[in-house]
Amino acid sequence: MTKTIGDTILRVEDLQTELRTKMGVFKAVDGVSFTLRQGETLGIVGESGSGKSMTALSLLGVLPKPAGKIVGGRVMFDGQDLLTKSEQQMRRIRGGSISMVLQDPQTSLNPVYTIGSQVTEAIALHRDVPRRSRIGRAIDALREVHVAAPEQRVKDYPHQMSGGMKQRVSGAIAISCEPKILIADEPTTALDVTIQSQYLRLLREIQDRSGLSVIFITHDFGIVANMCDSVAVMYAGRVVEYGPVRDLFNNPRHPYTRALLNSVPTMDRRVERLYSIPGQPPALWDLPKGCHFLPRCPFAEQRCETAYPPDIAAVGLGAGAHTARCWKLEDPTW
């Protein structure tokens, strides 16, 4: 089946989020920009602490309080800037138009309420459905994510279900109100390989049926290759490379993207020691003055120490189709 991708539904422009702590004010999201089209899957990848989840939480306005605060940028959804919305207005958007699946179903499901009551809660908040019809909608949502015997499962509690089934229930809550955008924040982290494959296949089926747009946050390039149409690579709160997934895999332009891809084991090559990126991601309170990847980059130059590079179009590709923030792109031989 050929995937149908429509017009832009979400446009993020220069998003900036700060965290205020005892150690100072730090930029957790530093000028992030990307677009999402109808039916498209955008992957956001990077090491832990790169700003992936903080970006997602910023889109929904659910930052940790009082430390987190959005200080700049625009999040355009259906022609409206979400950053100008009141908390009451955002409550109608969260779960109704934009939903999120968290990485740990153990914490996203309430252990003292039945599965049915947790699914119907979202329906009651966002859809004008009579009380008697809500449980039917909940059963349909569970059936859509392939939960066996949903008529019985709506009466169960989370502890009566396996980890994979609880993750499916989280997915059922997210899609129960037929949102336009689904944000999946590492939803397969707690699942074993077999269940992970089933869950990814399920997400793809739902997307094909409904035309859902998906933002998939992960650190797994294998998932990106199988699920995503475009990808944004994040490092220290910034997008360092952005473009179509095929272009990025075939022609990675930023040294960090190349290092991440080199870290993925391959079955067709025998090596004595797997590659690992030297050093650690920088602390937000101790970022290098120039390029944030400078201390770990084997290709660093003197200008990398003084100025952060702008978005530069990848050589040989259409301007704007594939960009990276690296001074090496100005070298035609890179």
Side-chain angles (χ1 to χ4, degrees), residues 164-179:
M165 280 297 155
K166 281 186 277 193
Q167 191 63 284
R168 290 178 186 233
V169 170
S170 297
I173 295 173
I175 67 170
S176 62
C177 296
E178 300 176 348

Side-chain angles (χ1 to χ4, degrees), residues 3-245:
K3 190 173 185 178
T4 302
I5 296 180
D7 297 330
T8 298
I9 189 173
L10 179 72
R11 183 182 300 276
V12 179
E13 302 173 358
D14 195 30
L15 180 63
Q16 301 169 53
T17 300
E18 291 182 348
L19 291 177
R20 291 166 167 79
T21 71
K22 294 179 180 179
M23 300 182 66
V25 178
F26 312 119
K27 291 184 177 180
V29 179
D30 191 5
V32 167
S33 300
F34 60 82
T35 60
L36 181 70
R37 294 171 291 172
Q38 183 179 5
E40 179 184 18
T41 300
L42 168 68
I44 301 181
V45 299
E47 295 170 286
S48 297
S50 61
K52 306 185 301 296
S53 295
M54 287 299 295
T55 298
L57 297 177
S58 299
L59 298 181
L60 291 174
V62 287
L63 295 168
K65 300 294 183 182
K69 184 178 181 181
I70 299 173
V71 296
R74 298 201 304 169
V75 178
M76 303 302 298
F77 172 68
D78 275 354
Q80 302 179 58
D81 187 357
L82 298 186
L83 301 188
T84 65
K85 299 291 184 183
S86 66
E87 177 60 25
Q88 185 176 4
Q89 291 172 322
M90 284 302 299
R91 286 177 182 171
R92 291 196 290 268
I93 293 173
R94 296 188 207 112
S97 299
I98 305 176
S99 291
M100 186 170 183
V101 178
L102 301 175
Q103 58 181 293
D104 186 3
Q106 301 280 10
T107 57
S108 59
L109 295 177
N110 194 318
V112 300
Y113 289 99
T114 64
I115 298 301
S117 65
Q118 295 187 61
V119 180
T120 56
E121 179 184 17
I123 299 171
L125 286 173
H126 299 289
R127 294 293 180 265
D128 185 16
V129 178
R131 182 184 295 271
R132 294 181 179 179
S133 302
R134 292 173 191 166
I135 194 64
R137 287 284 293 271
I139 291 172
D140 290 341
L142 292 175
R143 184 178 291 114
E144 191 170 358
V145 296
H146 299 177
V147 171
E151 296 85 358
Q152 298 299 319
R153 286 300 195 178
V154 292
K155 305 173 186 176
D156 289 346
Y157 289 86
H159 73 272
Q160 296 174 279
M161 309 184 83
S162 66
M165 280 297 155
K166 281 186 277 193
Q167 191 63 284
R168 290 178 186 233
V169 170
S170 297
I173 295 173
I175 67 170
S176 62
C177 296
E178 300 176 348
K180 296 181 179 180
I181 297 175
L182 176 67
I183 301 174
D185 187 2
E186 301 194 40
T188 60
T189 299
L191 307 179
D192 62 57
V193 176
T194 303
I195 302 302
Q196 179 184 105
S197 178
Q198 294 175 359
Y199 191 80
L200 294 177
R201 193 182 311 119
L202 174 63
L203 283 180
R204 195 179 297 114
E205 290 175 3
I206 294 172
Q207 186 176 33
D208 290 341
R209 287 199 304 267
S210 62
L212 185 68
S213 301
V214 179
I215 298 176
F216 206 105
I217 298 171
T218 182
H219 58 267
D220 189 333
F221 266 104
I223 292 177
V224 171
N226 290 326
M227 292 290 295
C228 300
D229 304 295
S230 55
V231 57
V233 181
M234 290 193 68
Y235 187 79
R238 294 186 177 185
V239 174
V240 296
E241 187 161 2
Y242 175 62
V245 67

Side-chain angles (χ1 to χ4, degrees), residues 261 264-271 274:
L261 289 172
V264 179
T266 59
M267 299 296 293
D268 59 352
R269 184 175 58 188
R270 184 181 180 89
V271 295
L274 295 176

Side-chain angles (χ1 to χ4, degrees), residues 274-292:
L274 295 176
Y275 175 82
S276 62
I277 306 174
Q280 296 291 331
L284 294 178
W285 57 87
D286 190 26
L287 293 173
K289 182 179 180 181
C291 177
H292 295 167

